[in-house]
Protein backbone atom coordinates (compact mmCIF):
# COMPACT_ATOMS: atom_id res chain seq x y z
CA UNK A 1 0.00 0.00 0.00
CA UNK A 2 1.05 3.62 -0.44
CA UNK A 3 2.87 5.54 2.29
CA UNK A 4 -0.10 7.88 2.68
CA UNK A 5 -3.73 7.78 1.61
CA UNK A 6 -6.81 9.98 1.71
CA UNK A 7 -9.37 10.14 4.50
CA UNK A 8 -12.10 12.50 5.67
CA UNK A 9 -10.82 13.88 8.97
CA UNK A 10 -12.82 15.85 11.51
CA UNK A 11 -10.76 17.91 13.93
CA UNK A 12 -11.67 20.14 16.85
CA UNK A 13 -9.65 22.67 18.80
CA UNK A 14 -10.69 25.20 21.43
CA UNK A 15 -11.83 27.76 18.87
CA UNK A 16 -12.07 25.84 15.60
CA UNK A 17 -13.66 22.81 13.94
CA UNK A 18 -12.84 21.36 10.53
CA UNK A 19 -14.07 18.64 8.20
CA UNK A 20 -11.67 17.98 5.33
CA UNK A 21 -10.05 15.30 3.19
CA UNK A 22 -6.43 14.93 4.29
CA UNK A 23 -3.50 12.54 3.81
CA UNK A 24 -3.19 9.89 6.53
CA UNK A 25 -0.56 7.19 7.16
CA UNK A 26 -0.99 3.65 8.42
CA UNK A 27 0.86 4.59 11.61
CA UNK A 28 -1.91 7.07 12.45
CA UNK A 29 -4.62 4.38 12.37
CA UNK A 30 -5.72 2.77 15.65
CA UNK A 31 -4.79 -0.79 16.59
CA UNK A 32 -6.45 -3.82 15.05
CA UNK A 33 -5.64 -7.19 13.54
CA UNK A 34 -6.85 -6.51 9.99
CA UNK A 35 -5.91 -3.79 7.50
CA UNK A 36 -8.60 -3.22 4.85
CA UNK A 37 -8.56 -1.29 1.59
CA UNK A 38 -11.98 0.33 1.79
CA UNK A 39 -14.12 0.14 -1.34
CA UNK A 40 -17.41 1.63 -0.13
CA UNK A 41 -18.97 3.22 2.91
CA UNK A 42 -22.30 5.02 3.37
CA UNK A 43 -23.84 8.06 5.00
CA UNK A 44 -25.86 7.56 8.18
CA UNK A 45 -27.39 10.04 10.62
CA UNK A 46 -24.76 9.10 13.20
CA UNK A 47 -22.08 9.98 10.66
CA UNK A 48 -23.70 13.37 10.23
CA UNK A 49 -23.54 13.94 13.97
CA UNK A 50 -19.86 12.98 13.94
CA UNK A 51 -19.22 15.76 11.43
CA UNK A 52 -20.43 18.65 13.61
CA UNK A 53 -18.82 20.09 16.75
CA UNK A 54 -21.78 19.45 19.06
CA UNK A 55 -22.87 16.07 17.70
CA UNK A 56 -21.90 14.22 20.91
CA UNK A 57 -20.60 11.23 18.93
CA UNK A 58 -16.84 11.79 18.72
CA UNK A 59 -14.93 12.04 22.00
CA UNK A 60 -11.36 12.56 20.79
CA UNK A 61 -9.86 14.38 17.82
CA UNK A 62 -8.64 14.21 15.11
CA UNK A 63 -11.04 11.49 13.99
CA UNK A 64 -12.19 9.62 10.86
CA UNK A 65 -15.98 8.95 10.83
CA UNK A 66 -17.93 6.31 8.90
CA UNK A 67 -19.82 3.59 10.80
CA UNK A 68 -19.97 1.26 7.75
CA UNK A 69 -17.40 -0.12 5.38
CA UNK A 70 -16.80 -2.86 2.85
CA UNK A 71 -13.49 -3.66 1.27
CA UNK A 72 -10.61 -6.05 0.66
CA UNK A 73 -8.19 -7.38 3.26
CA UNK A 74 -4.63 -6.11 2.74
CA UNK A 75 -3.07 -7.87 5.72
CA UNK A 76 -4.22 -9.80 8.80
CA UNK A 77 -2.67 -11.26 11.92
CA UNK A 78 -5.88 -13.27 12.48
CA UNK A 79 -5.94 -16.55 10.56
CA UNK A 80 -9.70 -16.17 9.96
CA UNK A 81 -8.95 -13.48 7.38
CA UNK A 82 -6.50 -13.44 4.48
CA UNK A 83 -5.11 -11.03 1.90
CA UNK A 84 -7.56 -10.41 -0.94
CA UNK A 85 -10.64 -11.47 1.02
CA UNK A 86 -13.77 -9.33 0.65
CA UNK A 87 -15.24 -8.28 4.01
CA UNK A 88 -17.82 -6.09 5.76
CA UNK A 89 -17.50 -4.19 9.04
CA UNK A 90 -20.30 -2.29 10.76
CA UNK A 91 -21.21 -1.30 14.29
CA UNK A 92 -19.16 -1.77 17.45
CA UNK A 93 -16.87 1.27 17.83
CA UNK A 94 -16.42 1.92 14.11
CA UNK A 95 -16.88 5.60 13.30
CA UNK A 96 -17.62 6.41 16.94
CA UNK A 97 -14.61 5.52 19.10
CA UNK A 98 -12.50 3.81 16.41
CA UNK A 99 -11.53 5.35 13.05
CA UNK A 100 -14.18 4.45 10.49
CA UNK A 101 -14.87 3.88 6.83
CA UNK A 102 -14.26 7.35 5.36
CA UNK A 103 -10.67 6.38 4.61
CA UNK A 104 -8.98 4.61 1.70
CA UNK A 105 -7.44 2.23 4.25
CA UNK A 106 -8.52 1.30 7.75
CA UNK A 107 -7.38 -1.06 10.50
CA UNK A 108 -10.12 -2.91 12.39
CA UNK A 109 -10.25 -5.48 15.21
CA UNK A 110 -10.92 -8.85 13.60
CA UNK A 111 -13.93 -9.63 15.82
CA UNK A 112 -15.75 -6.69 14.19
CA UNK A 113 -15.40 -8.12 10.68
CA UNK A 114 -17.45 -10.67 8.76
CA UNK A 115 -16.70 -12.16 5.32
CA UNK A 116 -18.80 -10.77 2.48
CA UNK A 117 -21.50 -13.41 1.93
CA UNK A 118 -21.89 -15.02 -1.48
CA UNK A 119 -24.64 -13.22 -3.36
CA UNK A 120 -23.54 -9.68 -2.44
CA UNK A 121 -21.03 -7.31 -3.99
CA UNK A 122 -19.05 -4.82 -1.91
CA UNK A 123 -21.24 -2.04 -3.34
CA UNK A 124 -24.49 -3.85 -2.55
CA UNK A 125 -23.30 -4.45 1.01
CA UNK A 126 -23.05 -0.70 1.52
CA UNK A 127 -26.41 -0.04 -0.11
CA UNK A 128 -27.56 -1.98 2.93
CA UNK A 129 -24.99 -0.83 5.49
CA UNK A 130 -26.00 -0.48 9.12
CA UNK A 131 -29.46 0.66 8.05
CA UNK A 132 -30.07 -2.51 6.05
CA UNK A 133 -28.63 -4.68 8.80
CA UNK A 134 -30.98 -3.03 11.29
CA UNK A 135 -33.94 -3.67 9.00
CA UNK A 136 -32.93 -7.32 8.53
CA UNK A 137 -32.49 -7.83 12.29
CA UNK A 138 -35.96 -6.32 12.76
CA UNK A 139 -37.48 -8.77 10.29
CA UNK A 140 -35.68 -11.73 11.86
CA UNK A 141 -36.98 -10.74 15.29
CA UNK A 142 -40.52 -10.32 13.98
CA UNK A 143 -40.35 -13.70 12.23
CA UNK A 144 -39.22 -15.27 15.50
CA UNK A 145 -42.49 -13.93 16.93
CA UNK A 146 -44.67 -15.47 14.20
CA UNK A 147 -44.78 -12.70 11.60
CA UNK A 148 -46.10 -14.27 8.41
CA UNK A 149 -47.27 -12.93 5.01
CA UNK A 150 -50.69 -14.55 5.47
CA UNK A 151 -51.46 -12.83 8.80
CA UNK A 152 -52.05 -9.27 7.66
CA UNK A 153 -50.34 -5.99 6.92
CA UNK A 154 -46.96 -4.84 8.26
CA UNK A 155 -46.31 -1.18 9.05
CA UNK A 156 -42.94 0.46 8.37
CA UNK A 157 -42.36 3.93 9.83
CA UNK A 158 -39.67 6.42 8.81
CA UNK A 159 -40.16 4.91 5.38
CA UNK A 160 -37.88 7.24 3.41
CA UNK A 161 -34.96 6.62 5.77
CA UNK A 162 -32.37 3.91 5.36
CA UNK A 163 -33.93 1.46 7.83
CA UNK A 164 -37.45 2.08 6.59
CA UNK A 165 -36.65 1.79 2.92
CA UNK A 166 -34.61 -1.37 3.42
CA UNK A 167 -37.39 -2.94 5.48
CA UNK A 168 -40.01 -2.16 2.83
CA UNK A 169 -37.90 -3.69 0.06
CA UNK A 170 -37.07 -6.83 2.09
CA UNK A 171 -40.60 -7.40 3.39
CA UNK A 172 -42.19 -6.98 -0.03
CA UNK A 173 -39.65 -9.43 -1.46
CA UNK A 174 -40.91 -11.99 1.06
CA UNK A 175 -44.53 -11.42 0.02
CA UNK A 176 -45.68 -9.17 2.86
CA UNK A 177 -48.31 -6.49 2.40
CA UNK A 178 -46.37 -3.39 3.51
CA UNK A 179 -47.86 -0.11 4.71
CA UNK A 180 -45.28 2.69 4.59
CA UNK A 181 -45.58 5.72 6.88
CA UNK A 182 -43.78 8.94 6.00
CA UNK A 183 -43.84 12.66 6.57
CA UNK A 184 -42.70 13.27 2.98
CA UNK A 185 -45.78 13.89 0.87
CA UNK A 186 -43.76 13.59 -2.36
CA UNK A 187 -42.37 10.12 -1.62
CA UNK A 188 -45.30 7.97 -2.75
CA UNK A 189 -43.80 6.87 -6.07
CA UNK A 190 -40.44 6.09 -4.44
CA UNK A 191 -42.03 4.00 -1.69
CA UNK A 192 -44.28 2.15 -4.13
CA UNK A 193 -41.20 1.36 -6.24
CA UNK A 194 -39.60 -0.19 -3.15
CA UNK A 195 -42.62 -2.44 -2.72
CA UNK A 196 -45.06 -0.62 -0.42
CA UNK A 197 -48.68 -1.47 -1.20
CA UNK A 198 -49.99 1.52 0.73
CA UNK A 199 -48.46 4.84 1.80
CA UNK A 200 -49.86 6.75 4.78
CA UNK A 201 -48.86 9.90 6.65
CA UNK A 202 -47.33 10.19 10.11
CA UNK A 203 -50.66 11.62 11.27
CA UNK A 204 -52.45 8.49 10.02
CA UNK A 205 -50.31 6.53 12.46
CA UNK A 206 -50.63 8.75 15.51
CA UNK A 207 -54.18 10.08 14.99
CA UNK A 208 -55.54 13.08 16.84
CA UNK A 209 -55.01 11.31 20.17
CA UNK A 210 -53.35 8.13 21.33
CA UNK A 211 -55.64 5.63 23.03
CA UNK A 212 -54.19 2.88 25.21
CA UNK A 213 -55.97 0.43 22.89
CA UNK A 214 -57.18 1.32 19.41
CA UNK A 215 -58.44 -0.49 16.34
CA UNK A 216 -56.16 -3.40 15.39
CA UNK A 217 -54.53 -2.41 12.07
CA UNK A 218 -51.25 -4.28 11.58
CA UNK A 219 -49.86 -7.70 12.51
CA UNK A 220 -46.44 -6.15 13.08
CA UNK A 221 -44.29 -3.08 12.56
CA UNK A 222 -40.72 -2.00 11.90
CA UNK A 223 -40.38 1.30 13.75
CA UNK A 224 -37.38 3.60 13.45
CA UNK A 225 -39.17 6.63 14.89
CA UNK A 226 -40.04 5.98 18.54
CA UNK A 227 -41.78 8.57 20.70
CA UNK A 228 -45.52 9.19 20.28
CA UNK A 229 -45.51 7.23 17.04
CA UNK A 230 -44.35 4.05 18.80
CA UNK A 231 -47.02 4.50 21.48
CA UNK A 232 -49.72 4.80 18.81
CA UNK A 233 -48.42 1.76 16.93
CA UNK A 234 -48.50 -0.40 20.06
CA UNK A 235 -52.16 0.49 20.54
CA UNK A 236 -53.00 -0.62 16.97
CA UNK A 237 -51.06 -3.88 16.67
CA UNK A 238 -53.13 -7.02 16.28
CA UNK A 239 -53.48 -9.61 19.03
CA UNK A 240 -50.08 -11.21 19.78
CA UNK A 241 -48.42 -9.05 17.15
CA UNK A 242 -45.00 -7.44 17.51
CA UNK A 243 -43.15 -4.17 16.98
CA UNK A 244 -39.41 -4.09 16.24
CA UNK A 245 -38.12 -0.74 17.52
CA UNK A 246 -34.73 0.65 16.51
CA UNK A 247 -34.94 4.45 16.37
CA UNK A 248 -35.64 7.62 18.30
CA UNK A 249 -36.09 10.42 15.77
CA UNK A 250 -39.53 10.98 17.30
CA UNK A 251 -38.14 11.14 20.82
CA UNK A 252 -37.07 8.78 23.61
CA UNK A 253 -40.25 9.02 25.68
CA UNK A 254 -42.99 6.52 24.76
CA UNK A 255 -46.31 7.52 26.42
CA UNK A 256 -48.02 4.14 26.52
CA UNK A 257 -49.61 1.86 29.11
CA UNK A 258 -49.35 -1.82 29.94
CA UNK A 259 -52.69 -2.53 28.22
CA UNK A 260 -51.36 -3.54 24.76
CA UNK A 261 -49.03 -6.00 26.47
CA UNK A 262 -51.39 -7.59 29.00
CA UNK A 263 -54.68 -7.47 27.06
CA UNK A 264 -53.43 -8.18 23.53
CA UNK A 265 -50.11 -9.90 24.22
CA UNK A 266 -48.22 -7.39 22.06
CA UNK A 267 -44.43 -7.78 21.93
CA UNK A 268 -42.05 -4.81 21.89
CA UNK A 269 -38.75 -6.02 20.42
CA UNK A 270 -35.64 -3.89 20.84
CA UNK A 271 -33.25 -3.98 17.87
CA UNK A 272 -29.56 -3.17 18.31
CA UNK A 273 -27.15 -3.41 15.38
CA UNK A 274 -24.11 -1.99 17.20
CA UNK A 275 -23.25 -4.75 19.69
CA UNK A 276 -25.24 -7.45 17.87
CA UNK A 277 -23.59 -10.87 18.45
CA UNK A 278 -21.46 -12.13 15.56
CA UNK A 279 -23.58 -15.25 15.01
CA UNK A 280 -26.80 -13.24 14.63
CA UNK A 281 -25.00 -10.61 12.55
CA UNK A 282 -23.75 -13.24 10.10
CA UNK A 283 -27.20 -14.83 9.94
CA UNK A 284 -28.75 -11.48 9.04
CA UNK A 285 -26.16 -10.75 6.34
CA UNK A 286 -26.66 -14.22 4.86
CA UNK A 287 -30.41 -13.58 4.66
CA UNK A 288 -29.71 -10.16 3.09
CA UNK A 289 -27.69 -11.92 0.39
CA UNK A 290 -30.34 -14.58 -0.27
CA UNK A 291 -34.07 -14.62 0.40
CA UNK A 292 -34.30 -11.06 1.78
CA UNK A 293 -32.34 -9.51 -1.11
CA UNK A 294 -34.75 -7.39 -3.14
CA UNK A 295 -34.61 -7.14 -6.91
CA UNK A 296 -35.14 -3.41 -6.41
CA UNK A 297 -32.08 -2.96 -4.16
CA UNK A 298 -30.67 -0.21 -6.40
CA UNK A 299 -33.89 1.77 -5.87
CA UNK A 300 -32.67 2.45 -2.32
CA UNK A 301 -29.74 4.53 -3.61
CA UNK A 302 -30.26 8.27 -3.42
CA UNK A 303 -26.84 9.04 -4.87
CA UNK A 304 -23.18 8.04 -4.79
CA UNK A 305 -20.48 10.44 -3.59
CA UNK A 306 -16.70 10.59 -3.28
CA UNK A 307 -14.71 11.49 -0.17
CA UNK A 308 -14.47 15.06 -1.45
CA UNK A 309 -18.25 15.26 -1.80
CA UNK A 310 -18.89 13.82 1.65
CA UNK A 311 -19.16 17.07 3.68
CA UNK A 312 -22.24 18.16 1.71
CA UNK A 313 -23.80 14.69 1.99
CA UNK A 314 -23.28 14.70 5.76
CA UNK A 315 -24.92 18.11 6.01
CA UNK A 316 -27.82 16.90 3.86
CA UNK A 317 -28.63 13.94 6.10
CA UNK A 318 -28.70 16.18 9.17
CA UNK A 319 -31.07 18.57 7.36
CA UNK A 320 -33.39 15.76 6.26
CA UNK A 321 -32.53 16.27 2.59
CA UNK A 322 -31.70 12.64 1.89
CA UNK A 323 -34.08 9.97 0.62
CA UNK A 324 -32.83 6.42 0.84
CA UNK A 325 -29.14 5.60 0.94
CA UNK A 326 -26.10 7.71 0.07
CA UNK A 327 -23.16 5.53 -0.99
CA UNK A 328 -19.58 6.65 -0.51
CA UNK A 329 -17.24 5.32 -3.22
CA UNK A 330 -14.00 5.43 -1.26
CA UNK A 331 -11.56 3.63 -3.57
Amino acid sequence: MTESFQALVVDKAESSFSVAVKPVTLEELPAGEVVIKVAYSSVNYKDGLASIPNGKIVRSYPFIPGIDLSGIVVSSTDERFHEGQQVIATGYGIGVSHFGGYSEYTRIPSDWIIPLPEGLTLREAMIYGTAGLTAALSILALEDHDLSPDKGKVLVTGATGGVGGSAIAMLSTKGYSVVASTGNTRANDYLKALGAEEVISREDVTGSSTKPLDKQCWQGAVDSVGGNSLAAILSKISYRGSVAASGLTGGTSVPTTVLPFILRGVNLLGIDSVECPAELREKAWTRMATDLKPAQLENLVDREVTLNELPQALEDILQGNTRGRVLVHVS
Side-chain angles (χ1 to χ4, degrees), residues 5-329:
F5 46 89
Q6 298 296 301
L8 184 84
V9 180
V10 296
D11 203 359
K12 185 179 183 180
E14 288 186 9
S15 59
S16 65
F17 185 84
S18 64
V19 181
V21 176
K22 298 180 179 180
V24 175
T25 65
L26 187 64
E27 288 70 28
E28 294 176 79
L29 298 180
E33 292 79 29
V34 184
V35 176
I36 300 169
K37 180 177 174 60
V38 180
Y40 289 93
S41 185
S42 66
V43 177
N44 301 275
Y45 194 79
K46 189 180 287 187
D47 300 318
L49 292 175
S51 72
I52 58 176
N54 58 345
K56 299 180 180 179
I57 293 294
V58 180
R59 293 182 174 86
S60 63
Y61 296 91
F63 190 75
I64 300 173
I67 65 171
D68 296 333
L69 64 96
S70 65
I72 299 172
V73 174
V74 173
S75 63
S76 174
T77 60
D78 187 321
E79 62 182 12
R80 291 176 296 175
F81 301 99
H82 57 82
E83 182 180 351
Q85 185 176 11
Q86 297 185 90
V87 293
I88 307 167
T90 66
Y92 301 104
I94 300 171
V96 176
S97 59
H98 189 100
F99 285 8
Y102 296 164
S103 176
E104 290 182 321
Y105 290 87
T106 190
R107 184 160 47 203
I108 300 289
S110 56
D111 286 342
W112 296 358
I113 301 168
I114 68 166
L116 181 76
E118 185 177 348
L120 281 183
T121 66
L122 293 173
R123 185 177 187 277
E124 288 172 334
M126 287 299 100
I127 296 177
Y128 281 133
T130 289
L133 175 60
T134 303
L137 290 170
S138 299
I139 294 170
L140 266 61
L142 290 169
E143 288 178 341
D144 286 344
H145 288 79
D146 298 325
L147 193 79
S148 174
D150 61 356
K151 291 183 179 179
K153 299 178 179 180
V154 180
L155 175 71
V156 176
T157 65
T160 59
V163 176
S166 298
I168 292 168
M170 292 180 197
L171 286 165
S172 64
T173 294
K174 293 294 292 181
Y176 286 93
S177 175
V178 182
V179 179
S181 168
T182 179
N184 187 342
T185 58
R186 297 170 293 179
N188 282 36
D189 291 344
Y190 166 70
L191 297 174
K192 291 289 183 68
L194 290 181
E197 290 189 7
E198 182 181 354
V199 180
I200 62 176
S201 69
R202 292 172 182 167
E203 292 72 27
D204 289 330
V205 173
T206 56
S208 57
S209 63
T210 300
K211 302 176 183 177
L213 289 176
D214 210 329
K215 180 182 178 181
Q216 299 179 47
C217 299
W218 312 291
Q219 65 157 319
V222 176
D223 177 58
S224 59
V225 176
N228 291 335
S229 178
L230 178 53
I233 294 165
L234 290 167
S235 74
K236 297 176 183 178
I237 291 294
S238 300
Y239 183 75
R240 296 187 65 80
S242 303
V243 180
S246 63
L248 45 71
T249 58
T252 57
S253 177
V254 183
T256 189
T257 71
V258 299
L259 296 184
F261 310 110
I262 65 174
L263 296 183
R264 287 184 181 164
V266 170
N267 304 293
L268 178 57
L269 312 173
I271 305 300
D272 166 53
S273 61
V274 176
E275 298 293 339
C276 173
E279 182 178 357
L280 178 57
R281 187 181 295 263
E282 291 190 24
K283 179 180 178 181
W285 277 107
T286 298
R287 293 284 305 274
M288 292 156 70
T290 54
D291 65 307
L292 287 180
K293 184 180 180 181
Q296 66 273 37
L297 184 61
E298 281 288 337
N299 290 351
L300 287 167
V301 180
D302 180 62
R303 65 189 188 277
E304 186 174 306
V305 300
T306 64
L307 286 177
N308 287 320
E309 296 167 326
L310 249 180
Q312 182 61 56
L314 292 165
E315 182 179 335
D316 287 344
I317 200 167
L318 291 176
Q319 297 299 321
N321 296 327
T322 298
R323 185 184 72 179
R325 302 284 288 147
V326 176
L327 280 177
V328 184
H329 193 177

